Amino acid sequence: MHLLLGCFALLAASFSTAALADDASDIRKIEVSWGEAFRKADYATIERIVAPEFKLLRAAGWDKVGFTPRAEWMVNAKRFTFHKYEVEVVNVAVTGNAAVATVKGRWRVSDRPEEAFVVTDTFVKRKGRWQAVFRHSTPFRDR
C-alpha cells in the first residue's frame, strides 16, 4: 500500500514539474511576443498581455521612482515609435497561478538614444491565460 502511494506521489510530482516547465515556457514566449508587439505597433496583442489592473513602476534613481497605471501606460506606449525592442528572458519563476519573469533588453524609441533596461514582470493565470499585472522597469548603463 505504501509503495502504491509513493508511486502516486512521484507521478503527481512529475506532472507538477512538467506543468511548471510548460508555464515557464509560456511566460518566456509572452515576453518575446510583447517585445515584437511593441516593434510592430500591435497594441491588440499588448492589450491581451496586460491585465486590467496592470501597473508600471519605473525606477531611474533614488528620486526618480514613479508608478503608471495601465490606461496611462497604454497611451504613453502608443505615442512612441519603437525602432528597437530586444529582450532576453533571464529567469522565470512559477508557483501555482503566479509567475515572475526577469528580463533584460534594449530599446530605442522615437528620437531618444538607445537604452538598456531590466524589467521584472509579475503574471497571474486566469481562465488558463497568463496576464501581466505589474512591471518594475529599471534603466541602466552597461557601457
Side-chain angles (χ1 to χ4, degrees), residues 97-122:
N97 289 328
V100 176
T102 304
V103 179
K104 65 180 180 178
R106 299 181 174 284
W107 70 339
R108 191 168 66 79
V109 295
S110 300
D111 60 349
R112 297 178 180 186
E114 183 175 306
E115 181 178 78
F117 60 85
V118 172
V119 296
T120 303
D121 290 326
T122 303

Side-chain angles (χ1 to χ4, degrees), residues 20 23-28 31 34 89-103 118-125 130-136:
L20 291 177
D23 285 337
S25 176
D26 290 345
I27 295 297
R28 288 176 182 280
E31 290 288 359
W34 197 344
V89 181
V90 177
N91 188 58
V92 177
V94 179
T95 181
N97 289 328
V100 176
T102 304
V103 179
V118 172
V119 296
T120 303
D121 290 326
T122 303
F123 291 86
V124 294
K125 191 174 192 179
W130 289 103
Q131 285 190 300
V133 293
F134 189 81
R135 170 171 272 192
H136 176 179

Side-chain angles (χ1 to χ4, degrees), residues 54 69-76:
F54 176 83
R70 182 189 199 276
E72 183 181 343
W73 181 81
M74 288 299 293
V75 168
N76 291 343

